[in-house]
Amino acid sequence: MTMTRGRYIRPFPTGSAPAPVDALAESYRALLAMPEASATRASEFASDQNLTPVGRKAALRSWAQAGPIEELRKGRAALAAGERAIAETRAKMNTEFVDKSDFAGAVVRSEIRTWVRNIPPAERAAMLLTREYDPQIAAAILEAPAALSGVSEKQHTALFESETVAKHPKEAAKIAHIEEAMEAVADADRATAAALRSDGGMLKHEIEEALGGQTLSQRLAARIAGEPDDGTQEAA
């Protein structure tokens, strides 16, 4: 972890950096420098006797538009590209664990689900947690709703994820790498936005407006009309 002005920022993952990780890495480096740059600028403007308090605030905000705000914009674009890359990778992963045309196998898998359902809950949970089961057991559980095997939805989801990773290790590793990179950029994004609020007195909605989001009045009007607004990114 890197400590920047009282905020912890995760380190960027090492390893290869194909798209979109290359763009995320570039944004991470740029955003990582913004909190200290903001503090330096704020100090410079504060010591400028030719500026009034209002003028200092305006000068810092003007600088922010070409510096931190622009880097935040690039970072958000890189995060969006990361989300698209993850979605595209997931779409290519085959998550069918059984041959649905195999009717004899379907009967066997039904019997397996009955067997799993009759296992004492503690033993069943331990079996799933330690992955001490035959691949046929996993396939049988995943073929049908969780209740038919006596497992919880949480256990069913965890089993699906672990079996998908085992079936597609390369794609799973790629997704994990992108997600780790995105988490690091999101940390740097939050630290930069916090610096703008602290040094420039910018409110959260002002930062979002500068990034091209709806204005506060537009969001309030949407809420009054009962329509969902475009929200504000938690990263800010």
Side-chain angles (χ1 to χ4, degrees):
M1 288 282 189
T2 299
M3 174 71 83
T4 300
R5 297 183 63 182
R7 282 180 171 264
Y8 285 106
I9 300 177
R10 274 167 278 209
F12 199 83
T14 57
S16 60
V21 178
D22 54 349
L24 287 165
E26 183 177 345
S27 286
Y28 178 79
R29 289 190 293 269
L31 288 169
L32 200 60
M34 288 299 104
E36 290 301 332
S38 177
T40 299
R41 285 287 182 165
S43 178
E44 291 174 354
F45 293 137
S47 62
D48 189 337
Q49 299 302 313
N50 295 319
L51 294 174
T52 64
V54 173
R56 291 173 188 134
K57 185 175 181 179
L60 186 61
R61 290 190 174 203
S62 178
W63 168 80
Q65 286 290 341
I69 293 295
E70 181 59 26
E71 295 305 334
L72 283 172
R73 187 178 292 110
K74 292 178 181 177
R76 302 286 175 90
L79 288 170
E83 291 178 350
R84 290 193 298 272
I86 289 174
E88 290 169 2
T89 302
R90 288 190 188 282
K92 295 175 183 177
M93 296 166 72
N94 178 11
T95 55
E96 292 292 337
F97 297 98
V98 299
D99 179 1
K100 294 185 177 180
S101 65
D102 180 8
F103 297 109
V107 173
V108 172
R109 291 191 296 275
S110 177
E111 293 174 350
I112 290 175
R113 285 192 292 274
T114 299
W115 172 75
V116 172
R117 190 168 61 248
N118 290 328
I119 296 176
E123 292 182 23
R124 184 170 59 238
M127 178 186 72
L128 294 174
L129 185 63
T130 59
R131 300 193 67 188
E132 294 179 353
Y133 49 76
D134 185 275
Q136 271 195 309
I137 294 176
I141 295 173
L142 293 173
E143 181 186 24
L148 294 184
S149 299
V151 301
S152 67
E153 290 294 341
K154 184 177 180 180
Q155 290 173 321
H156 197 272
T157 298
L159 179 62
F160 174 82
E161 291 177 349
S162 65
E163 289 302 305
T164 299
V165 168
K167 190 175 182 181
H168 302 281
K170 184 177 179 180
E171 290 82 357
K174 178 182 178 180
I175 289 173
H177 189 53
I178 295 174
E179 287 178 337
E180 188 178 356
M182 290 175 64
E183 288 171 354
V185 172
D187 281 353
D189 178 299
R190 283 188 285 269
T192 297
L196 291 178
R197 293 196 295 271
S198 174
D199 299 330
M202 296 184 74
L203 300 176
K204 184 173 181 178
H205 74 85
E206 291 177 317
I207 296 173
E208 294 302 326
E209 288 171 19
L211 289 168
Q214 288 182 326
T215 64
L216 179 60
S217 60
Q218 287 173 327
R219 293 203 306 276
L220 289 173
R223 290 176 187 175
I224 292 172
E227 300 172 357
D229 58 40
D230 69 348
T232 56
Q233 296 233 10
E234 284 301 315

